[in-house]
Amino acid sequence: MTKPPPAIGLRFLRPPPLSPSPISFNFSVTQLPRITCSYSSFEVRDVSYQPPGTQLRLLNSVSFSLPEKSLGLIFGQSGSGKTTLLQVLAGISKPTAGSICIQKYGNDGNPSQPPEPLVPERVGIVFQFPERYFVADNVLDEVTFGWPRHKGNHYLRENLALGLQRAINWVGLSGISLDKNPHSLSGGYKRRLALAIQLVQTPDLLILDEPLAGLDWKARADVVKLLKHLKKELTVLVVSHDLREFASLVDRSWRMEMGGNLREEFLPV
């Protein structure tokens, strides 16, 4: 948010000038500042997906929206199309029809500007068992593995370094040595590291595929607690079968039915 010029702030701190005559106030010309409550929403509009060269439609006119800084949950049977949907949202697969965008709204609830397509670079995705894909010998190299290596991106690398510090703090890894081998971390901390990698460049949408899979009860509780914090900063979409653990965090939820049909369904409290 842009800070007002110093003169504006000081104007309200300065006492009125002394005057022998009574001070009068003309309320008729006083205008209160307008307060805006604009917000953004991640929106999927009539998205279908049919793999090239096949007649099989894996997603069938999927539509849903998720306001910024909230957590959405998609659940359903295996093979219903949940992972396919995540791949389409992340840009790994291109939808056959429909659009995926960020829509901004004004305080009147109406769109304040045309929708912006959600580009893959603005999506962070953590797949199931992400620790299987760790490639580096220490935490720092793992997080920075995909960073630009040539000198022309010095400014970008500075921003990434700042983002790294923020991401490490967000996921609670500040007490872990950056020289530590990522494969020596506990299951819960491996998931934290996988999240940090995606959070260095703050995404418009963070997608998590079965984030509790393979973890013991303590690590599961730690990840749920972490997501409770992250949804205050980011828009988070989770695919999971673990409905009970996420019930207290979810703002919106949907069931994916066989045939790639998505419908909103509230979780039992």
Side-chain angles (χ1 to χ4, degrees):
M1 180 179 295
T2 304
K3 294 183 178 180
I8 295 177
L10 295 175
R11 182 176 61 190
F12 295 101
L13 300 177
R14 237 180 246 129
L18 296 177
S19 172
S21 58
I23 300 174
S24 61
F25 297 92
N26 185 359
F27 291 100
S28 61
V29 297
T30 302
Q31 294 185 356
L32 296 176
R34 295 187 64 184
I35 299 176
T36 59
C37 302
S38 59
Y39 67 96
S40 297
S41 178
F42 161 67
E43 300 190 356
V44 176
R45 302 175 177 178
D46 293 319
V47 164
S48 296
Y49 177 69
Q50 182 175 314
T54 73
Q55 299 298 319
L56 180 63
R57 180 177 289 189
L58 301 183
L59 299 176
N60 187 22
S61 297
V62 170
S63 294
F64 68 97
S65 63
L66 184 62
E68 63 180 343
K69 296 184 180 180
S70 60
L71 188 145
L73 175 67
I74 296 176
F75 58 98
Q77 298 181 32
S78 297
S80 58
K82 302 186 302 297
T83 299
T84 299
L85 176 59
L86 297 192
Q87 292 174 347
V88 169
L89 298 181
I92 299 172
S93 300
K94 187 176 180 180
T96 308
S99 62
I100 303 167
C101 64
I102 299 294
Q103 178 67 67
K104 293 186 178 180
Y105 292 90
N107 57 347
D108 58 358
N110 294 318
S112 58
Q113 62 185 55
E116 300 178 2
L118 181 64
V119 296
E121 293 79 13
R122 299 299 304 159
V123 179
I125 183 168
V126 179
F127 289 106
Q128 189 174 356
F129 302 114
E131 57 273 13
R132 295 177 179 175
Y133 306 102
F134 290 167
V135 296
D137 295 328
N138 61 69
V139 170
L140 180 60
D141 286 346
E142 188 64 50
V143 178
T144 62
F145 179 76
W147 288 21
R149 303 298 175 183
H150 47 86
K151 298 179 180 179
N153 281 293
H154 178 71
Y155 178 74
L156 173 59
R157 289 173 63 83
E158 283 188 347
N159 286 337
L160 289 172
L162 293 174
L164 170 60
Q165 182 178 7
R166 181 189 62 242
I168 290 293
N169 291 331
W170 270 358
V171 303
L173 282 178
S174 54
I176 298 296
S177 170
L178 296 180
D179 293 326
K180 195 174 183 67
N181 189 316
H183 295 283
S184 68
L185 299 175
S186 66
Y189 275 91
K190 287 176 181 177
R191 298 294 163 87
R192 291 171 186 259
L193 176 57
L195 281 168
I197 293 169
Q198 298 301 319
L199 294 176
V200 171
Q201 299 187 75
T202 309
D204 291 327
L205 176 67
L206 175 64
I207 298 174
L208 307 176
D209 187 9
E210 298 289 354
L212 305 185
L215 300 179
D216 61 31
W217 67 269
K218 184 181 184 304
R220 291 164 73 94
D222 287 344
V223 171
V224 169
K225 184 177 180 181
L226 172 59
L227 293 181
K228 184 177 182 179
H229 166 71
L230 284 179
K231 80 168 195 171
K232 298 176 183 178
E233 308 288 343
L234 303 162
T235 306
V236 183
L237 182 64
V238 175
V239 163
S240 180
H241 292 97
D242 303 297
L243 307 187
R244 182 175 299 178
E245 283 93 340
F246 287 112
S248 62
L249 300 182
V250 171
D251 298 293
R252 299 194 67 183
S253 54
W254 304 268
R255 179 186 292 275
M256 180 70 80
E257 299 176 331
M258 300 304 291
N261 297 294
L262 190 74
R263 63 181 176 87
E264 188 165 13
E265 182 176 317
F266 297 103
L267 296 180
V269 179

